[in-house]
Amino acid sequence: MGEYINVVETFGCDVFNDSVMQARLPKKVYKELKKTIEEGKEMSMEIADVVAHEMKEWAIEKGATHYSHWFQPLTGVTAEKHDAFITAPENGKVLMSFSGKELIKGEPDASSFPSGGLRATFEARGYTTWDCTSPAFVRHDAAGATLCIPTAFCSYTGEALDQKTPLLRSMEAINTQALRLIRLLGNTTSKKVTPSVGAEQEYFLIDKEKWLQRKDLTYTGRTLFGAMPPKGQEMDDHYLGTIRQRISAYMKEVNEECWRLGVTAKTQHNEAAPAQHELAPIYAPANIAADHNQMMMRILKKVASRHGLRCLLHEKPFTGVSGSGKHNNWSLTTDDGINLLDPGKTPHDNIQFLLILTCILKAVDEHADLLRESAADVGNDHRLGGNEAPPAIISVFLGEQLEDVLEQLISTGIATHSKKGAKLETGVKTLPDFMKDATDRNRTSPFAFTGNKFEFRMVGSRDSISSCNVVLNTITAEVFRDTCDRLEAAENMEMAIHDIIKEYATDHQRIVFSGNSYAPEWAEEAARRGLPNLPFMVDAIPALITEKSVKLFEDFGVFTRTELESRAEIQYEIYAKAINIEAKTMIDIATKQIIPAVIKYTTVLANSINAVRQAGPMDVSVQLELLEKSSELLKKTNIAMRELGRLVAEIPEHPEGRDRAVFCKEKVFKAMGELRAPVDKLEMIVDKEMWPMPSYGDLIFEV
Ligand code: ADP
Ligand code: MG
């Protein structure tokens, strides 16, 4: 039995959180810092110096030798540069020091991070600045202990080069407009509105030794070859199944590491595919949730290697079973604890809720392309529209109760009643009866209302949740703003609110869909409704730079046109690079592992045929058939491989950016499929002992 920990004491023990600050900082400094955190007041250097000093003392007590500005460039992973606290020696002795300036501002060389043409290499300056609303923490790993300071990352000219900056900007936008709206509706007490986010994280765990034997997994994070085993996930026996001991031991350590860092790891379970699991935290303000999700992903990976496991965060590590996503639960919360997405018991007479809800419908309908784009990443192309994943078409699920209220509004102009949940009768006397929710769940919808929040299910498991929250915050801010403009000009406020709710509900009905989003008929129906269907990343990227998008983001100071253009450019680059690596890995595996293995197998077969024939007039038809079949497939493999090689060599001839990405998708990606097909067939024929890598069955059923 492992040791037990005291969760209450452990939680947040490595975080420079509010109670640590209150205990350690002089009262005046604490108050000033709180003002900065809560009200966005600028911080003086004097205050910063005191905070930095105390932070350092606290971190040193935890064993820290270094500090690091921790940031999220557009590479998709976090970045950090470590500096020791030591000063230049005097009389051979060093001091441990950390100034306010060092806390607030860092200067990593920006030239090696993607900037999408924002910066020439000689303009290498980039700055990281402390996001004091996300607490600093001490991370323990092989490098010792490091004080990590969550920071935003900008270029010398102030353009955002990271995920955090636009997220913070969008949080300001939604705060301003949401406050304006609720004031008009009579709220005089709330001072701040924050988007709350809880991101459920899906992942796969496989054996590390087996992972090492798969070059495709090690280089690209997903399998590029692999035939389905006789059993997949059709029995639904993994979802919420008993968690195996090896996995439980892993989860226990993941939770403990999360808790130490203040990450509220809460719900864990087995997911739909074999070897797939999920971990969800308790929701937090969007920027903290985004930081915590990055920390969680790192912990999931780090702890896996301690257990002889490998954690796969790729969106589709295995073809034929579920991919992994990140369900982004989103709501709007006031500082005095009101959830603006809470419909209450009788939504039909909750005017504020209905107005906010219909605003969100309008926002999502008008910017569906942008929301879809926010979930675009290379791995997600394989996941969306596949097993247990939403399609690439954005629609909103509201549930029976709310749909009924909206229908009443649309048809008669007033909603008079809300459907109620009935009593759940189990038919067993000893089981308590309880009231059902008024609405069932719909797991197939990409954007589902789930009681008092929306769940955006499109985001990929490896992706940052920042992009989708930037979009959700900003598109909602836009409709709130336009609505406030109208209400402020209205003569009769009540009438105006009523008219707007009815108008938005009527005009944006097409985005509401409660059927099965996985069904092929939905794609046809969605096309009739005029909803965008952008199945691939390269089709989605242009949404970033439409005039509509530029106007939206510039209006709220979230992105400039240049920043958007650079982001589109980076997306194209990332896509082309990823496909290039995958294609080269396929060629490598085919050349060095698969073709030699098949040659060996056919030689053994041929020898066997000769040997059997020599032994007497025996029937060798089975061996001959296998030999013929495998030789035929071997030939096909070789042809497909050469074609892929030719196309890969052509990649650099296509100008970087959209052209190259489109070429990679239309040609290279297609050729990868042509190579995979015969190889997967060969895997089904060739003697398992001779197959050069662990099979899908070995990988996902034997963890
Ligand atoms: P599910 O049944 O979909 O797993 P949960 O209630 O477990 O639903 O919640 C899933 C995630 O949603 C959790 O991270 C949870 O903290 C988060 N969540 C719950 N309420 C809210 C809210 N009001 N705003 C944002 N996220 C929320
Ligand atoms: Mg869920």
Side-chain angles (χ1 to χ4, degrees), residues 196-198 200 280-283 329-331 339 441 452-453 455:
S196 297
V197 170
E200 304 163 51
I282 297 172
Y283 64 93
N329 293 273
W330 177 88
S331 69
N339 177 357
R441 294 279 186 116
N452 60 0
K453 62 186 192 285
E455 185 173 349

Side-chain angles (χ1 to χ4, degrees), residues 401-523:
Q401 189 190 45
L402 291 182
E403 265 192 58
D404 177 61
V405 170
L406 287 194
E407 254 161 50
Q408 294 176 49
L409 276 167
I410 293 168
S411 57
T412 66
I414 30 170
T416 55
H417 60 277
S418 300
K419 285 191 176 175
K420 292 239 167 354
K423 205 183 219 178
L424 184 87
E425 292 179 17
T426 57
V428 180
K429 284 209 189 69
T430 49
L431 292 177
D433 288 332
F434 58 85
M435 296 305 285
K436 287 192 285 193
D437 290 304
T439 293
D440 198 4
R441 294 279 186 116
N442 176 326
R443 294 214 305 151
T444 69
S445 174
F447 196 67
F449 188 73
T450 48
N452 60 0
K453 62 186 192 285
F454 275 104
E455 185 173 349
F456 183 48
R457 303 197 177 108
M458 229 183 224
V459 186
S461 48
R462 217 173 18 168
D463 210 357
S464 159
I465 55 166
S466 297
S467 303
C468 72
N469 289 301
V470 167
V471 171
L472 285 174
N473 297 341
T474 316
I475 63 177
T476 307
E478 180 185 57
V479 182
F480 281 180
R481 177 201 61 192
D482 296 348
T483 306
C484 291
D485 288 349
R486 280 173 66 178
L487 291 179
E488 279 161 6
E491 272 169 24
N492 182 334
M493 179 72 83
E494 221 165 289
M495 280 293 284
I497 293 173
H498 172 271
D499 291 349
I500 288 176
I501 294 176
K502 181 167 185 229
E503 176 193 316
Y504 289 176
T506 312
D507 291 354
H508 302 285
Q509 283 180 73
R510 65 168 188 170
I511 197 75
V512 178
F513 179 63
S514 51
N516 177 8
S517 305
Y518 295 172
E521 303 83 62
W522 168 231

Side-chain angles (χ1 to χ4, degrees), residues 78-145:
T78 57
E80 50 200 68
K81 185 175 112 189
H82 299 194
D83 280 291
F85 289 120
I86 58 168
T87 55
E90 264 179 56
N91 303 327
K93 284 219 174 293
V94 295
L95 293 173
M96 297 292 260
S97 113
F98 184 48
S99 68
K101 191 166 163 250
E102 287 167 314
L103 166 64
I104 288 179
K105 189 178 121 203
E107 232 183 285
D109 181 344
S111 58
S112 300
F113 291 107
S115 77
L118 270 184
R119 223 183 335 80
T121 331
F122 57 88
E123 293 167 333
R125 247 176 225 273
Y127 294 107
T128 50
T129 42
W130 182 29
D131 169 16
C132 65
T133 60
S134 181
F137 56 94
V138 168
R139 199 180 56 211
H140 300 270
D141 56 22

Side-chain angles (χ1 to χ4, degrees), residues 258-287:
C258 283
W259 292 336
R260 291 182 72 93
L261 292 172
V263 177
T264 51
K266 166 99 174 154
T267 309
Q268 62 196 26
H269 59 81
N270 286 349
E271 255 303 328
Q276 194 186 27
H277 312 278
E278 179 181 304
L279 179 59
I282 297 172
Y283 64 93
N287 63 322

Side-chain angles (χ1 to χ4, degrees), residues 222 314-316 376-384 460 462 537 582:
R222 75 178 182 104
H314 193 282
E315 285 76 12
K316 195 81 176 180
D377 79 358
V378 193
N380 228 7
D381 275 9
H382 305 280
R383 171 179 166 258
L384 297 180
R462 217 173 18 168
M537 178 170 172
E582 287 189 351

Side-chain angles (χ1 to χ4, degrees), residues 286-401:
N287 63 322
I288 295 179
D291 286 355
H292 281 184
N293 182 251
Q294 294 289 347
M295 286 152 77
M296 185 187 274
M297 288 197 284
R298 189 182 165 120
I299 291 170
L300 285 169
K301 287 202 161 274
K302 188 176 81 174
V303 175
S305 43
R306 288 209 294 264
H307 288 255
L309 294 164
R310 187 75 196 181
C311 172
L312 307 179
L313 292 174
H314 193 282
E315 285 76 12
K316 195 81 176 180
F318 308 100
T319 308
V321 296
S322 285
S324 298
K326 192 135 44 190
H327 295 175
N328 188 85
N329 293 273
W330 177 88
S331 69
L332 295 170
T333 321
T334 67
D335 57 326
D336 46 356
I338 306 165
N339 177 357
L340 299 181
L341 292 184
D342 187 353
K345 289 227 157 39
T346 50
H348 70 276
D349 58 16
N350 186 342
I351 296 302
Q352 175 170 301
F353 172 76
L354 289 176
L355 183 59
I356 287 175
L357 180 77
T358 47
C359 282
I360 294 172
L361 285 186
K362 178 174 158 76
V364 172
D365 186 27
E366 284 175 350
H367 295 288
D369 55 341
L370 209 47
L371 194 55
R372 190 271 172 258
E373 199 289 328
S374 76
D377 79 358
V378 193
N380 228 7
D381 275 9
H382 305 280
R383 171 179 166 258
L384 297 180
N387 313 49
E388 304 273 327
I393 308 161
I394 296 277
S395 64
V396 183
F397 173 79
L398 291 177
E400 210 182 312
Q401 189 190 45

Side-chain angles (χ1 to χ4, degrees), residues 547-566:
E547 283 310 310
K548 187 180 66 169
S549 160
V550 173
K551 173 146 188 359
L552 166 79
F553 286 122
E554 289 202 329
D555 272 5
F556 291 98
V558 172
F559 287 121
T560 60
R561 180 187 293 273
T562 321
E563 284 172 329
L564 287 167
E565 282 168 354
S566 83

